[in-house]
Amino acid sequence: TVMFIYIMTIDWRLGLANLAGAVIGLVCAVVMFIKSRGGYELSVEKTKKLNDTAVEYINGIQVIKATGKTGTSYKKFVTALDAHRPYAPQEPLCHNARMCANSS
C-alpha cells in the first residue's frame, strides 16, 4: 500500500495502471478458483483410490503370486491408475535423472 500511494503521488495514471494489473490478477484468480472447485475433490478421491489400490496390490503380492491371480489384481491397479491419469501432471518434473541429481 505504501508503494501504491508513492506511485500515485508520482503520477496518478501510473498508479491506476498499477491498480488495473492487480484487479486483472484478482479476477483471473477468482475465475480459476471457480472453475477448479469440483475438480479438486474428484482429484483427491481418485488419488486416494489409487493409493489404496497400490497398497493393497503391494501388500498382497505374495498371496497373488501363490494363487496365480496376477492378471486380475494387476488389472485392478491399472484401472485405478488410468482413472487417476487426468489429474496427474502431464509432464515429469525432471526428464533426465542426471539433470535432477545435478540440479540439487
Side-chain angles (χ1 to χ4, degrees), residues 2-24:
V2 173
M3 286 299 289
F4 177 70
I5 293 170
Y6 176 69
I7 290 173
M8 288 294 281
T9 59
I10 294 174
D11 186 1
W12 65 272
R13 292 170 294 205
L14 191 59
L16 288 180
N18 190 7
L19 188 62
V23 169
I24 290 170

Side-chain angles (χ1 to χ4, degrees), residues 41-57 75-85 87:
E41 288 86 9
L42 191 59
S43 172
V44 169
E45 177 187 325
K46 297 293 182 184
T47 301
K48 184 178 179 331
K49 175 74 173 165
L50 177 62
N51 289 342
D52 292 346
T53 306
V55 168
E56 179 184 329
Y57 181 74
K75 183 170 176 23
K76 185 177 176 183
F77 175 68
V78 170
T79 302
L81 183 62
D82 287 339
H84 180 265
R85 198 173 307 272
Y87 305 100

Side-chain angles (χ1 to χ4, degrees), residues 64-82:
I64 292 167
K65 286 183 178 180
T67 58
K69 299 201 179 212
T70 309
T72 306
S73 183
Y74 185 71
K75 183 170 176 23
K76 185 177 176 183
F77 175 68
V78 170
T79 302
L81 183 62
D82 287 339

Side-chain angles (χ1 to χ4, degrees), residues 28-41:
C28 289
V30 168
V31 168
M32 288 188 328
F33 177 74
I34 290 171
K35 284 187 174 186
S36 69
R37 186 174 282 169
Y40 176 74
E41 288 86 9

